[in-house]
């Protein structure tokens, strides 16, 4: 079913979720608040969200976008409007606002980087997500089957048609996560057997490329690699007191760029697909190693 470009986006909140702060600018994309009728669980809030969305499809099926965030997220109305606008302008179907530097976070790649409009990443923070409606319909069965935060943070980006050009952190927009992540968010997901094989969901936390503030498109796997790495390092250099973590981030991305880009995660049964692609590991580092904190 097609969606109308004039229909308002839907923002799905729990009973205690905080509405956008302030007023949206004139002419900004419109939205409406839909509240669930019961509190979200702390560890698997997307299980309740998916059940609600499946049971109340009429509330969102004509909306161009659906955005949802946890009760501890604070975000300005101007940021919500800009998030929706950027998604439409750049054809982004899955993204999150960059988390402000004073936020709690589970992965440093989700923190705001001031050198970018947006970055394609291998991780998202499930505390605040925005979907194009068509992408949400496609991803609902996956989110229903594996609703844990740590699994979704890695599976949703890995299931994009082109992982290195799919899920995005919108650095032009910021949100504040005010509560510490649960321990589960730092743990390795309990993967089912079909996902135990190598694939993009096992990648370290990486930014694949994106759109710089000056309008340049950069990527980790083409001849703009050095520019991308410079922007990434320069943006995060402002956020740390010591330079060592920036060097580690630079090295992690540089060495990953020596191997081919990741293929999309294929969730079909083995007898329904061709041979699964294998990722050549960099000879310098093991990408399964836990990433260093920024």
């Amino acid at each position: 079913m097609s969606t109308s470009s004039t229909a308002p986006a839907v923002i799905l909140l729990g009973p205690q979720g905080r509405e956008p702060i302030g007023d949206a600018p004139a002419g900004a994309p419109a939205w409406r608040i839909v509240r669930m009728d019961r509190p979200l669980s702390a560890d698997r809030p997307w299980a309740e969200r998916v059940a609600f969305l499946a049971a109340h499809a009429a509330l969102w099926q004509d909306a161009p976008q659906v955005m949802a965030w946890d009760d501890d997220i604070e975000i300005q109305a101007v940021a919500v409007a800009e998030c929706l606008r950027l998604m439409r302008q750049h054809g982004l179907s899955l993204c999150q606002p960059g988390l402000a530097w004073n936020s709690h976070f589970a992965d440093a790649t989700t923190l705001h980087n001031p050198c970018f409009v947006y970055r394609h990443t291998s991780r998202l923070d499930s505390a605040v997500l925005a979907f194009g409606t068509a992408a949400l319909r496609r991803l609902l069965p996956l989110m229903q089957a594996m609703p844990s935060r740590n699994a979704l943070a890695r599976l949703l980006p890995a299931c994009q048609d082109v992982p290195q050009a799919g899920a995005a952190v919108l650095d032009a927009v910021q949100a504040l996560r005010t509560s510490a992540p649960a321990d589960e968010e730092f743990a390795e997901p309990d993967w089912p057997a079909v996902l135990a094989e190598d694939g993009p969901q096992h990648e370290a936390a990486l930014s694949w490329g994106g759109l710089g503030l000056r309008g340049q498109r950069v990527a980790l796997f083409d001849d703009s690699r050095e520019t991308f790495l410079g922007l990434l390092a320069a943006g995060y250099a402002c956020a740390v007191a010591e330079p060592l973590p920036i060097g580690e981030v630079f090295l992690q991305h540089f060495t990953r760029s020596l191997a081919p880009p990741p293929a999309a995660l294929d969730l079909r049964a083995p007898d329904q697909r061709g041979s699964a692609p294998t990722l050549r590991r960099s000879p310098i580092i093991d990408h399964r190693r836990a990433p260093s904190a920024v």
Side-chain angles (χ1 to χ4, degrees):
M1 180 180 297
S2 62
T3 58
S4 170
S5 60
T6 60
V10 166
I11 297 177
L12 181 63
L13 300 178
Q16 305 303 318
R18 307 174 194 183
E19 295 195 11
I21 300 168
D23 297 320
W31 66 79
R32 62 191 179 98
I33 303 292
V34 173
R35 285 196 180 272
M36 298 176 60
D37 55 4
R38 61 179 181 178
L40 299 171
S41 66
D43 57 344
R44 298 196 170 195
W46 279 100
E48 285 88 353
R49 289 192 182 107
V50 169
F52 181 89
L53 290 168
H56 301 88
L59 292 176
W60 58 274
Q61 61 184 357
D62 291 326
Q65 294 136 321
V66 175
M67 193 171 183
W69 57 77
D70 290 352
D71 293 351
D72 66 331
I73 291 293
E74 293 181 1
I75 186 169
Q76 299 286 328
V78 292
V80 173
E82 183 67 355
C83 176
L84 300 176
R85 186 190 71 80
L86 287 171
M87 288 183 71
R88 298 180 191 188
Q89 178 182 352
H90 297 286
L92 302 173
S93 60
L94 172 62
C95 64
Q96 66 156 95
L99 296 181
W101 287 348
N102 57 332
S103 286
H104 292 279
F105 62 93
D107 196 289
T109 57
T110 63
L111 290 173
H112 165 66
N113 188 307
C115 287
F116 291 90
V117 177
Y118 62 82
R119 284 172 295 122
H120 295 295
T121 64
S122 62
R123 294 287 191 277
L124 290 178
D125 193 313
S126 65
V128 51
L129 292 175
F131 299 85
T133 307
L136 179 59
R137 290 194 194 98
R138 181 174 66 87
L139 292 169
L140 275 180
L142 171 63
M143 298 166 72
Q144 188 172 30
M146 296 195 69
S148 65
R149 291 177 180 273
N150 53 350
L152 290 179
R154 296 160 66 169
L155 280 177
L156 295 181
C159 285
Q160 302 304 297
D161 291 338
V162 182
Q164 65 271 24
V169 172
L170 291 179
D171 289 309
V173 177
Q174 294 188 54
L176 179 67
R177 186 174 179 181
T178 61
S179 299
D183 291 342
E184 177 198 48
E185 295 186 62
F186 299 99
E188 181 72 12
D190 184 16
W191 300 114
V194 69
L195 296 180
E197 64 187 56
D198 196 10
Q201 79 276 14
H202 293 300
E203 289 281 358
L206 296 164
S207 297
W208 301 124
L211 179 66
L213 286 182
R214 297 181 179 178
Q216 70 274 49
R217 294 186 181 274
V218 290
L220 192 61
F221 301 106
D222 62 25
D223 56 8
S224 65
R225 175 180 62 178
E226 285 74 20
T227 301
F228 166 65
L229 289 170
L231 291 174
L232 188 71
Y236 281 134
C238 303
V240 298
E242 300 293 337
L244 180 59
I246 297 302
E248 293 176 350
V249 169
F250 186 94
L251 177 61
Q252 177 174 294
H253 282 78
F254 176 79
T255 53
R256 179 60 185 89
S257 73
L258 301 178
L265 183 60
D266 191 343
L267 296 178
R268 292 175 295 175
D271 59 352
Q272 296 177 334
R273 58 183 172 176
S275 57
T278 58
L279 297 180
R280 177 173 62 84
R281 293 293 177 188
S282 163
I284 299 178
I285 63 171
D286 180 0
H287 301 294
R288 294 184 190 234
R289 186 185 56 142
S292 302
V294 175

